[in-house]
Amino acid sequence: MKIRILFSLLAAIVLNGCQQPLQNGDTRTEQYLPLLESRQVAVFSNHTGMVGDRHLVDLLLENRVNVTAIFSPEHGFRGKADAGAGVSDSTDPDTGIPILSLYGPGGDVHPSADALSRFDVLVVDIQDVGLRFYTYYITLCHLVDVCGEFGKEVIILDRPNPNGHYVDGPVLDMRLRSGVGHLPIPVVHGLTLAELIGMAQGEGWLSEAGNRCKVTPVLCKHYTHGTPCDIPIAPSPNLPNLQSIYLYPSLCPFEGTVVSLGRGTDKPFQQYGHPAMEGRYAYSFTPESRPGALNPPLKGQVCYGVDLSALPDAREKGLDLSYVIDAYSILREKGQADGFFTPFFDKLLGVTWVREMIEEGCSAAQIRERWMPEVEAFKVLRKKYLLYEE
């Protein structure tokens, strides 16, 4: 009887421990506020940098931290700009702090020497989604490079990766390095931002100065890579919910094709279609101009295709190329395969051979089989840099 009671108590303790709420790094103020005393502080963040019901910038100011600059990524500090749209410098109307855009008309940009003279330490708090072509980590890599060059420190207030439970897709061929692919990692890398920067420094993937930059991670509490996590604030305009975030690895390759993935609708990254797919599918949608997608592909045209917004278990699907292959096969049957792929497709996938295999008629399973040895090798390397349990 005593053994049974003891076992029940232990089980209750374990269960309660598993149910403890996940805490982002930014909630652990005791870990990082002492590091900011008497220092000039810059913040790299956007609309996702909320600590409860207030923004990190406001929290820092309330604690008498001297915030001298805010750096903003693609989509801007308020997260409303279109994908790829240049964002100008501005001033935060609530605090008067200058907002310095790191995503100008030409894409990702480096901060100027003047911007770097404004701070001693950079605090990072931004929600990533764990994809190689999602640009926030690229901007952070550039920031670490220049911070190392100018002797600045970096503190990363870590956040969970909603796609952190798996690794998938081909590893970037660095000859295709671009604004949507910066490091030799798979499409789905399975790392938080703190882990990814640690890996980039440890493997020497940043500049010489970036590799030696002092980076301090403030970890999440009660998080493992297997922990399902809610993302209460959409990280960018066209990733409105978890379903879109889970489908993002599989549907983003459509950005490099003539097919719409739902930009300009209420289901971006949750559906795909094209006018020429009429007759094969009854479901349809029509992209229109809306905030975050002012001029979406196939604007004003009725697109016939597939609605994935209610797809069950999207979190477990991984990177599924069958959707792209499906659309390519239909348009090829209709004699419209020429021009299906744009040069952007190879940049997104990070290799040329995926497109070539699709054009040769290979299945999604055959293509996955080719990239899996790279994935397994990366997972071995990745283990050295994990800050959380799998």
Side-chain angles (χ1 to χ4, degrees):
M1 179 64 70
K2 291 182 178 179
I3 293 176
R4 184 179 299 174
I5 293 172
L6 178 60
F7 180 82
S8 298
L9 288 172
L10 289 173
I13 291 171
V14 171
L15 182 61
N16 289 334
C18 292
Q19 292 177 337
Q20 292 184 81
L22 189 155
Q23 294 179 317
N24 296 337
D26 58 16
T27 67
R28 306 182 68 188
T29 53
E30 76 285 355
Q31 297 286 318
Y32 62 90
L33 286 180
L35 305 178
L36 306 179
E37 293 180 5
S38 304
R39 308 182 78 179
Q40 291 183 312
V41 175
V43 173
F44 173 51
S45 187
N46 61 4
H47 63 291
T48 66
M50 299 295 292
V51 189
D53 60 356
R54 54 186 171 169
H55 197 277
L56 174 72
V57 171
D58 299 316
L59 182 149
L60 294 177
L61 293 175
E62 289 170 11
N63 284 274
R64 299 183 180 180
V65 174
N66 184 19
V67 181
T68 56
I70 299 169
F71 290 110
S72 67
E74 184 180 9
H75 306 295
F77 184 59
R78 301 299 174 190
K80 296 180 179 179
D82 279 13
V87 180
S88 301
D89 292 349
S90 60
T91 300
D92 181 37
D94 295 333
T95 64
I97 299 171
I99 300 174
L100 308 175
S101 174
L102 297 176
Y103 206 87
D108 199 48
V109 296
H110 296 253
S112 66
D114 175 67
L116 288 158
S117 69
R118 301 174 185 234
F119 67 93
D120 306 311
V121 58
L122 175 70
V123 177
V124 177
D125 186 21
I126 193 166
Q127 182 62 59
D128 192 55
V129 297
L131 279 294
R132 189 186 65 225
F133 38 63
Y134 202 61
T135 62
Y136 294 168
Y137 84 92
I138 300 177
T139 301
L140 179 55
C141 286
H142 292 328
L143 281 170
V144 174
D145 281 341
V146 295
C147 283
E149 181 180 353
F150 285 82
K152 313 295 183 178
E153 296 181 20
V154 177
I155 298 174
I156 300 177
L157 308 182
D158 214 14
R159 286 173 170 264
N161 175 0
N163 286 308
H165 55 291
Y166 73 107
V167 177
D168 208 356
V171 171
L172 175 66
D173 178 344
M174 292 298 279
R175 292 174 296 183
L176 291 174
R177 190 178 189 183
S178 71
V180 290
H182 188 69
L183 300 175
I185 56 179
V187 171
V188 186
H189 53 70
L191 298 163
T192 67
L193 280 181
E195 291 173 326
L196 185 58
I197 292 301
M199 185 175 194
Q201 288 187 311
E203 295 301 313
W205 293 339
L206 302 182
S207 67
E208 183 178 346
N211 290 328
R212 66 169 184 265
C213 179
K214 181 179 179 181
V215 178
T216 302
V218 178
L219 303 187
C220 303
K221 290 188 72 174
H222 314 308
Y223 171 68
T224 74
H225 283 280
T227 304
C229 51
D230 188 21
I231 305 296
I233 300 173
S236 51
N238 288 285
L239 293 178
N241 53 37
L242 277 175
Q243 187 78 344
S244 63
I245 290 171
Y246 294 149
L247 289 168
Y248 187 44
S250 301
L251 296 193
C252 190
F254 277 119
E255 302 269 43
T257 75
V258 297
V259 175
S260 169
L261 48 69
R263 287 188 184 273
T265 74
D266 60 352
K267 298 177 183 178
F269 290 95
Q270 299 169 73
Q271 58 188 349
Y272 66 92
H274 187 273
M277 291 166 68
E278 182 180 9
R280 290 295 296 271
Y281 292 109
Y283 176 77
S284 67
F285 60 89
T286 304
E288 301 290 354
S289 180
R290 59 172 56 203
L294 297 179
N295 191 30
L298 302 177
K299 177 182 174 182
Q301 300 183 52
V302 179
C303 298
Y304 296 87
V306 179
D307 180 7
L308 299 170
S309 61
L311 179 74
D313 301 323
R315 182 176 184 268
E316 311 306 325
K317 295 295 184 182
L319 199 175
D320 187 353
L321 285 177
S322 65
Y323 307 127
V324 172
I325 293 173
D326 169 58
Y328 177 76
S329 298
I330 293 172
L331 293 188
R332 183 177 58 188
E333 291 174 8
K334 292 177 175 286
Q336 299 188 34
D338 290 345
F340 179 90
F341 294 106
T342 73
F344 196 50
F345 185 85
D346 290 348
K347 291 182 179 180
L348 287 169
L349 272 295
V351 294
T352 60
W353 56 260
V354 167
R355 171 184 48 79
E356 292 166 353
M357 289 185 72
I358 293 174
E359 292 173 333
E360 291 168 3
C362 295
S363 67
Q366 290 172 317
I367 297 171
R368 174 184 293 276
E369 184 178 359
R370 179 166 174 178
W371 76 49
M372 282 310 298
E374 293 182 334
V375 167
E376 294 304 323
F378 178 82
K379 287 166 71 174
V380 172
L381 184 64
R382 167 179 170 270
K383 281 186 179 293
K384 296 193 299 181
Y385 301 101
L386 294 181
L387 300 174
Y388 308 94
E389 295 180 6
E390 292 271 34

